[in-house]
């Protein structure tokens, strides 16, 4: 990190700068902010009163309860507020536009199936008759068990077998409005046969295949290539079949789903126009439609850029509702059709904001050499040559200096291999090389045009911060589809961050790192962070992780589910822990991969016992060994350490390690240079 950048900005750092640096106003959607103490706060609006709580206070509460990091923090009121926002906004727009029907939201369970989420949606959503969209039998069962109002809808998508259909018909018998959305022609005869046999009138919908193509990251399967939905001729077949059984009056709903995370409002409007065309013609065919279901797609602005790029959106919730209501109203009024109930199946936008992944930093490796090792008499000529470079380093010769440094380093490595330079000399050369790169980087910052080959230099000199989490378990989309999530420190924000870093997780997989971060209207290869303070934890939060992350995660390196904590913010800005779920123990994850912990314990015990028999250990030692093993089995899979005080000034006075001394391997700046054994010795 070049000094020049610090100097320019040193005097102007403040909370406002922190807000723009991490873009919190953009992606925070009014739920997150930074307080005057430099801590991230979560905010909700309850009955017109804004409540806010610092995430650090919540972290302190976790410490008091001895809950170890990483933790998935859920803030229940944020979920409530999302449901309230979508229902209230549609309601207001409908009133304003004098639309002649109502809005009914449903939550697609697949987006986050956790019981706590589903139950809270059912509970809070009751006042709005917010229902569920289900795509499988287990989701159907979850919906039936959770739903609190039978005026809410249950929309059944996906492939439905007889059992699925019977469940739905029983629900209808109970008074629930449960729609079967026909996705393939095979399910229609089962619905007809079962409903006749059981004497229950089904609610039927049809899912149409949309041809409107949608831009964005998630939508390569939208349009004609979609695997879902009925073609025009299949729709006609459904109509004819229902007519023949005298059941066309049961066809009441038209369903379409353009895709998830639709960044552009133009695409949404285009989709609604197409849906209305189907709606009109199916009505003309005699189907007494009364519901139009537009599926999901309402995007989350992960970058806060308000743009039509894939990880953002170029519209507000208000605009989304206005465009839908207005398009349906104008299109169908022209056809003299009555306005249908509008249904949307927003998943991502409903649950993304509620969850935050919190973790601590275990260690840092820095590629920064503060002092150039002093010259020694009799130093090898190549090392002397390397030292020389600094004497001719200036903008005009920056590429040449870089080439020279590279060349001498290579030569020195060769000599080391042949035994002509010893390890100590090699270490000196390494430090010299790095300090030269740093100086070169400093010079580059003063130049308007940076030579192409040197463009990535600043990133490759960035620190690596090792975070106590598994990307594969907690942020699978970050790995699988390069999804960006807002990431930032949740404290110390009144203080200027002086480091630029990439993040690595604690799996030993070189894909377990994050090297793209949200920055001003774009993304950046590094994240500004604070230097670690000795004996004090440094906490980062990954925000907007409530949608699609929680059950996609895998057991890479057998890191399991994290601890989960749900809090509810109260009036007067206090909060309570409403639920805590302990993450997987080591025994849990082992049993997921078919080990049997009990059997493992007994086979280990036998080994230890035979060591006693052979006289290698005493019976007392035997017990210690067994206790350690069994204790571990019940432990957390992540890095556990003595809990440190969050805010108190540190009382520990262990000697601070020179972080650069870690730097002993053959250097590979691009890769993960640090062996994991070095992790976490910083504190
Ligand atoms: C996945 C899915 C949704 C949810 O989409 P979001 O973009 O997350 O709101 C809604 N409906 C159907 C049919 C889906 O498959």
């Amino acid at each position: 990190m070049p000094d020049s950048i610090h100097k320019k900005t040193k005097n102007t750092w403040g909370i406002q700068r922190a807000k723009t640096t991490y873009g919190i106003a953009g992606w925070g959607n009014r739920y997150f902010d930074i307080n005057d103490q430099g801590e991230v706060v979560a905010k909700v609006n309850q009955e017109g009163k804004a409540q806010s709580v610092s995430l650090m206070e919540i972290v302190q509460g976790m410490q008091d309860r001895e809950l170890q990091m990483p933790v998935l923090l859920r803030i229940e009121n944020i979920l409530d507020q999302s449901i309230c926002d979508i229902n209230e906004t549609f309601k207001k727009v409908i009133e304003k536009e004098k639309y002649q029907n109502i809005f009914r939201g449903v939550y697609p369970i697949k987006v986050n199936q956790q019981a706590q989420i589903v139950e809270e949606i059912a509970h809070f959503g009751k006042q709005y008759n917010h229902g569920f969209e289900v795509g499988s039998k287990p989701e159907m069962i979850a919906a039936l068990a959770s739903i609190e109002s039978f005026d809410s809808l249950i929309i059944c998508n996906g492939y439905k077998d007889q059992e699925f259909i019977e469940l739905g018909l029983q629900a209808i018998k109970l008074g629930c409005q449960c729609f079967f959305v026909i996705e393939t022609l095979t399910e229609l005869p089962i619905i007809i046969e079962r409903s006749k046999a059981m004497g229950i009138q089904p609610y039927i919908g049809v899912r149409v295949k949309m041809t409107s193509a949608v831009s964005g990251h998630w939508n390569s399967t939208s349009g004609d290539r979609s695997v879902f939905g009925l073609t025009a001729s299949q729709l006609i077949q459904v109509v004819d079949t229902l007519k023949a059984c005298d059941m066309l009056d049961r066809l009441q709903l038209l369903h379409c789903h353009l895709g998830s995370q639709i960044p552009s409002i133009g695409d949404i409007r285009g989709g609604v126009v197409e849906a209305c065309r189907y709606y009109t013609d199916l009505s003309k065919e005699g189907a007494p439609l009364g519901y139009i279901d537009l599926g999901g797609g309402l995007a989350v602005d992960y970058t806060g850029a308000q743009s039509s790029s894939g990880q953002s959106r170029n519209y507000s919730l208000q605009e989304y509702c206005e465009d839908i209501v207005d398009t349906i109203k104008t299109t169908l009024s022209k056809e003299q059709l009555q306005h249908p109930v509008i249904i949307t199946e927003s998943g991502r936008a409903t649950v993304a904001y509620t969850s935050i992944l919190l973790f601590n930093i275990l260690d840092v490796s820095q590629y920064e050499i503060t002092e150039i090792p002093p010259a020694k008499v009799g130093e090898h000529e190549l090392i002397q040559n390397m030292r020389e470079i600094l004497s001719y380093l200036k903008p005009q010769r920056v590429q040449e200096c870089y080439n020279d440094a590279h060349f001498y380093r290579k030569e020195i490595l060769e000599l080391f291999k042949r035994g002509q330079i010893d390890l100590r000399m090699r270490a000196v050369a390494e430090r010299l090389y790095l300090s030269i790169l740093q100086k070169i980087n400093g010079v580059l910052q003063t130049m308007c045009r940076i030579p192409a080959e040197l463009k990535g230099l600043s990133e490759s000199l960035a620190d690596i911060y090792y975070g106590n989490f598994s990307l594969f378990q907690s942020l699978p989309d970050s790995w699988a589809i390069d999804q960006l999530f807002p990431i930032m420190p949740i404290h110390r924000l009144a203080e200027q961050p002086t480091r630029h870093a990439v993040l690595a997780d604690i799996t030993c997989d070189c894909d377990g790192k994050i090297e793209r971060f949200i920055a001003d209207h774009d993304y950046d290869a590094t994240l500004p962070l604070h230097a670690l303070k000795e004996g004090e934890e440094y906490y980062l939060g990954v925000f907007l992780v409530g949608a699609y992350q929680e059950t996609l995660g895998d057991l890479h390196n057998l890191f399991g589910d994290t601890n989960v904590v749900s809090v509810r913010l109260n009036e007067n800005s206090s909060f309570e822990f409403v639920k805590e779920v302990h993450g997987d123990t080591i025994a849990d994850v082992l049993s997921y991969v078919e080990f049997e912990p009990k059997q493992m314990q007994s086979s280990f015990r036998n080994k230890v016992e035979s060591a006693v028999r052979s006289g290698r250990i005493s019976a007392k030692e035997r017990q210690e060994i067994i206790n350690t093993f069994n204790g571990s089995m019940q432990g957390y899979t992540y890095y556990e350490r003595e809990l440190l005080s969050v805010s108190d000034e540190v009382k520990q006075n262990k000697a601070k390690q020179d972080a650069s001394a870690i730097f002993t391997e053959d250097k590979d700046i691009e890769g993960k240079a640090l062996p994991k054994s070095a992790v976490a010795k910083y504190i």
Side-chain angles (χ1 to χ4, degrees), residues 220-250:
S220 57
T221 53
S222 69
D224 283 334
R225 285 174 53 231
S226 167
V227 292
F228 294 108
L230 303 171
T231 61
S233 56
Q234 289 171 326
L235 281 173
I236 296 298
Q237 275 186 61
V238 170
V239 168
D240 291 347
T241 311
L242 285 172
K243 238 182 219 164
C245 316
D246 205 16
M247 281 177 74
L248 191 58
D249 62 324
R250 304 316 300 162

Side-chain angles (χ1 to χ4, degrees), residues 108 110-111 133 157 207 255 257 259-261 295-298 345-349 548:
K110 74 152 194 269
V111 181
E133 184 267 350
N157 288 316
R207 178 158 179 180
H255 184 284
H257 171 65
S260 196
Q261 183 69 13
L298 174 58
E345 303 175 345
S346 285
R348 185 186 297 279
Y548 297 105

Side-chain angles (χ1 to χ4, degrees), residues 414-660:
E414 274 307 311
L415 292 186
F416 175 74
K417 276 191 211 158
R418 284 189 254 122
Q420 292 169 8
I421 272 189
D422 67 8
L423 183 60
R424 218 161 255 287
M425 265 295 117
R426 187 182 151 180
V428 170
E430 227 162 48
R431 292 170 72 91
L432 258 179
Y433 175 70
L434 269 179
S435 61
I436 292 166
L437 290 195
Q438 247 167 267
K439 295 252 159 33
I440 289 177
N441 192 35
V443 172
L444 292 178
Q445 306 305 315
T446 65
M447 295 166 62
C448 313
R449 277 195 57 206
I450 296 178
E453 212 177 300
L454 303 187
K455 276 201 173 119
L457 186 62
S458 141
E459 276 94 68
S460 61
L461 289 172
D463 298 345
I464 301 177
Y465 273 56
Y466 292 89
N468 192 10
F469 72 106
S470 158
L471 190 80
F472 307 92
Q473 175 62 244
S474 296
L475 304 171
D477 281 349
S478 170
W479 169 72
I481 55 172
D482 278 337
Q483 157 99 50
L484 283 171
F485 293 102
I487 303 177
M488 65 182 291
I490 60 166
H491 58 144
R492 295 179 61 187
L493 293 159
E495 203 184 305
Q496 173 152 22
T498 53
R499 312 299 312 168
H500 279 197
V502 298
L503 288 175
D505 72 3
I506 59 169
T507 67
C508 46
D509 188 314
C510 57
D511 280 339
K513 61 186 175 195
I514 304 178
E515 296 175 306
R516 258 162 36 107
F517 303 93
I518 288 157
D520 260 357
H521 298 282
D522 200 356
Y523 61 85
D524 222 331
T526 60
L527 180 69
L529 290 177
H530 302 87
L532 292 194
K533 281 191 193 160
E534 194 184 311
E536 191 178 305
E537 289 282 20
Y538 187 52
Y539 293 102
L540 300 192
V542 186
F543 292 81
L544 276 48
V545 297
Y548 297 105
Q549 302 311 295
E550 293 186 26
T551 31
L552 279 181
D554 69 15
L555 292 171
H556 218 77
N557 281 129
L558 296 184
F559 286 109
D561 277 347
T562 64
N563 291 325
V564 180
V565 166
S566 288
V567 301
R568 176 163 278 282
L569 312 193
N570 291 328
E571 280 171 55
N572 66 38
S573 293
S574 66
F575 66 95
E576 60 192 292
F577 278 66
V578 287
K579 191 150 187 188
E580 56 186 74
V581 182
H582 287 263
D584 289 325
T585 61
I586 290 174
D588 289 336
V589 296
L590 287 169
S591 62
Y592 298 155
V593 289
E594 310 296 333
F595 281 101
E596 290 183 16
K598 281 225 158 63
Q599 207 185 318
M600 294 167 91
Q601 281 172 339
S602 82
S603 96
F604 186 72
R605 196 182 316 111
N606 291 343
K607 279 179 205 138
V608 182
E609 193 55 53
S610 71
V612 176
R613 274 199 300 275
S614 67
R616 176 181 282 275
I617 56 168
S618 69
K620 202 162 169 240
E621 285 169 323
R622 178 203 105 117
Q623 206 44 42
E624 266 171 36
I625 294 173
I626 289 177
N627 289 348
T628 308
F629 185 88
N630 292 351
S632 265
M633 276 279 202
Q634 295 315 314
Y636 200 18
T637 57
Y638 293 89
Y639 191 95
E640 296 178 281
R641 68 175 161 206
E642 298 294 302
L643 293 166
L644 293 165
S645 138
V646 182
S647 46
D648 291 353
E649 269 304 296
V650 198
K651 283 147 208 136
Q652 285 174 291
N653 40 13
K654 281 184 189 165
K656 186 171 177 180
Q657 295 186 6
D658 175 4
S660 58

